[in-house]
Amino acid sequence: MSEAVRQTRQRSVVVAGAGIPGLTLALALAQTNGPALRVTLCDPGLGAGAARHAGRAYAVAAGGRRMFERLAVWDAVRHAAQPIRDMVVSDSRLADPVRPVFLTFEHDSPAHVSPSQDFPAAEAEDGAPFAHMVEAEPLVAALLAAAHAAGVVFEPHGIVEATPDGRSTRIGLSDGRIIEAALLVAADGARSRLREAAKIGWVGWSYPQMGLVATIGHERDHEGRAYEHFLPSGPFAILPLVPGGALGHRSSIVWTERAADVPALTGGGPEETLAEIERRFGLNLGRLSLERGPSAHPLAFGLARSFRGERLALLGDAAHVIHPIAGQGLNLGLAGAAALAEAVTDALRLGLDPGSRDVLLRYERARRFDTLAMGAMTDGLNRLFSNDLLPVRLVRDLGLGLVDRLPALKRLFIGEAAASRGSLPRLLRGEAL
């Protein structure tokens, strides 16, 4: 093997999967390392561009926003990013005439001008909103454009096999070609074929629930306020989007419902579905319209037994799947991308093998505990709130009320949600790699 071929293999990373975590990782590696690292992104859906993400929206925490600013993509999506200025949490039955508010997230800075005197804004430590609702299509389009400009090689083909041979891994593409790389990143989803082929175990279970996602139009301005209504069948979240639509204002809903009840709730046509949404949405924002959806998704918890294999790293849903109750699934994937980009870049600067066991161990140690903790928290919250047992309701409502009266604890929760606390990868802090 010639020295030139060996250097090419040792300074090459292949990312399988062009979802947001995979795209973000590819962009971060290419931007930071330039010609010193060949970054290839493989996904048979690349030909569809950002259009296959239409209709989705995500809560991007402050850490993710700082990373996108550092990667120079935030300005391209700012028009599609709605700040979450405050959040209201209530717990009630569906038929209850009043939904008492047990918890609001607020910021006590006297310099801040709140959009509402009743519910002041929740902010990250840098003074910005702790999260933005960002529509996926413009975000993916911006990531694709930036990755192309940074020199990422796009391969609109799937990966059918990967065989590590000690010094590199041989990757077979669906068009029959073979490429080699020092590191293969599996960002190919919860049913990752690369994870299964590497015989990495998976611990998880399905919930007897489905998540329904839709875009709702409404007459009144949401003022950047998010709502989380805990109902016996599961949480019903109303998340503010940028203005638009026939009624002038829009929100995304994430509606958790018992799986057995979903066909009856959504099978009667748009008008009946909208009527069910109105029962849960409430009257605060005036007349409603159904702009997109709903689409139904099975809910599950899952965690890979390891985030690494031989010259293989798992990223995003290939490594972990959590309940959407806290809206942190994407943020976990972004944190993983930031940690892996940092580990690989630091190794390259020291002249080390970016796919070595030590590099992958560093990545796994950086992310596994936080991921497990977030998964356990979302699982516990779902089990605590998705029931109608009176003693449990009394205890949880008491707990919410206590948190609401402890500003220090609320700031802690905001910091965690904003990815502003703890030992963070440099990109999540808004720093260069």
Side-chain angles (χ1 to χ4, degrees):
M1 181 190 304
S2 71
E3 180 64 17
V5 172
R6 188 185 71 81
Q7 286 291 332
T8 298
R9 291 178 180 178
Q10 289 298 99
R11 292 185 172 272
S12 178
V13 173
V14 173
V15 181
I20 294 174
L23 271 170
T24 303
L25 173 67
L27 172 59
L29 289 174
Q31 269 192 4
T32 303
N33 297 284
L37 180 69
R38 179 182 174 87
V39 181
T40 303
L41 185 66
C42 298
D43 191 319
L46 276 170
R52 62 177 174 155
H53 299 269
R56 303 180 193 176
Y58 298 100
V60 175
R65 184 257 309 160
R66 288 190 290 266
M67 178 162 63
F68 289 139
E69 287 176 340
R70 171 57 61 177
L71 298 176
V73 297
W74 188 250
D75 282 346
V77 299
R78 196 181 299 274
H79 69 285
Q82 168 63 49
I84 298 179
R85 302 190 184 282
D86 49 67
M87 186 167 185
V88 178
V89 178
S90 63
D91 184 11
S92 66
R93 297 182 177 92
L94 185 57
D96 289 351
V98 177
R99 293 177 176 173
V101 172
F102 290 97
L103 178 61
T104 62
F105 287 106
E106 58 190 1
H107 179 69
D108 56 6
S109 168
H112 177 74
V113 179
S114 168
S116 165
Q117 295 302 314
D118 296 325
F119 302 110
E123 296 179 356
E125 289 184 350
D126 59 3
F130 74 93
H132 287 74
M133 283 301 297
V134 182
E135 296 184 72
E137 191 171 5
L139 176 57
V140 171
L143 287 168
L144 285 168
H148 186 270
V152 174
V153 178
F154 289 174
E155 286 283 359
H157 305 285
I159 294 177
V160 295
E161 61 178 347
T163 308
D165 62 8
R167 302 296 297 273
S168 64
T169 186
R170 291 171 53 84
I171 299 164
L173 302 181
S174 57
D175 66 350
R177 287 179 296 134
I178 301 292
I179 58 177
E180 295 195 44
L183 174 64
L184 172 60
V185 180
D188 54 342
R191 298 181 179 179
S192 170
R193 293 182 179 180
L194 294 173
R195 183 189 68 225
E196 292 178 1
K199 295 182 169 48
I200 298 175
W202 183 259
V203 177
W205 50 82
S206 297
Y207 294 109
Q209 298 169 313
M210 297 192 78
L212 300 170
V213 180
T215 301
I216 303 300
H218 45 83
E219 289 180 305
R220 298 174 190 157
D221 189 356
H222 48 53
E223 297 183 330
R225 180 172 302 148
Y227 294 88
E228 185 93 29
H229 298 310
F230 287 114
L231 299 168
S233 59
F236 184 91
I238 303 171
L239 305 165
L241 297 176
V242 294
L247 297 179
H249 305 283
R250 302 177 305 141
S251 291
S252 175
I253 63 167
V254 181
W255 169 15
T256 301
E257 192 59 64
R258 298 181 185 94
D261 295 336
V262 168
L265 293 171
T266 62
E271 291 186 2
E272 290 189 21
T273 299
L274 182 60
E276 290 292 342
I277 291 172
E278 287 175 337
R279 293 179 65 202
R280 294 157 177 81
F281 199 101
L283 304 175
N284 293 3
L285 299 180
R287 184 163 56 94
L288 305 181
S289 65
L290 182 61
E291 297 215 344
R292 189 186 294 268
S295 58
H297 311 272
L299 300 182
F301 170 87
L303 184 70
R305 290 188 178 275
S306 174
F307 286 5
R308 61 184 176 84
E310 186 178 356
R311 297 198 172 273
L312 176 71
L314 304 185
L315 180 66
D317 287 355
H320 45 72
V321 175
I322 65 173
H323 196 283
I325 191 170
Q328 292 299 307
L330 175 63
N331 293 303
L332 280 180
L334 294 177
L340 184 54
E342 186 171 311
V344 168
T345 297
D346 287 351
L348 287 168
R349 286 175 178 158
L350 294 171
L352 302 176
D353 179 355
S356 69
R357 181 175 181 273
D358 288 344
V359 172
L360 297 181
L361 271 173
R362 175 183 168 184
Y363 161 62
E364 182 173 56
R365 288 168 179 163
R367 293 307 311 149
R368 188 167 176 80
F369 177 79
D370 286 348
T371 301
L372 179 60
M374 180 61 72
M377 184 195 76
T378 56
D379 181 71
L381 284 174
N382 182 54
R383 294 177 188 276
L384 176 64
F385 284 97
S386 297
N387 65 73
D388 199 29
L389 297 175
L390 181 60
V392 177
R393 289 188 68 199
L394 292 173
V395 169
R396 72 195 184 205
D397 293 347
L398 176 63
L400 289 173
L402 288 174
V403 171
D404 199 45
R405 289 163 176 78
L406 295 173
L409 189 55
K410 289 169 73 173
R411 283 194 295 270
L412 175 63
F413 285 150
I414 290 171
E416 291 294 335
S420 299
R421 297 180 183 273
S423 178
L424 299 177
R426 294 195 292 270
L427 282 173
L428 291 188
R429 299 197 299 263
E431 301 172 5
L433 286 177

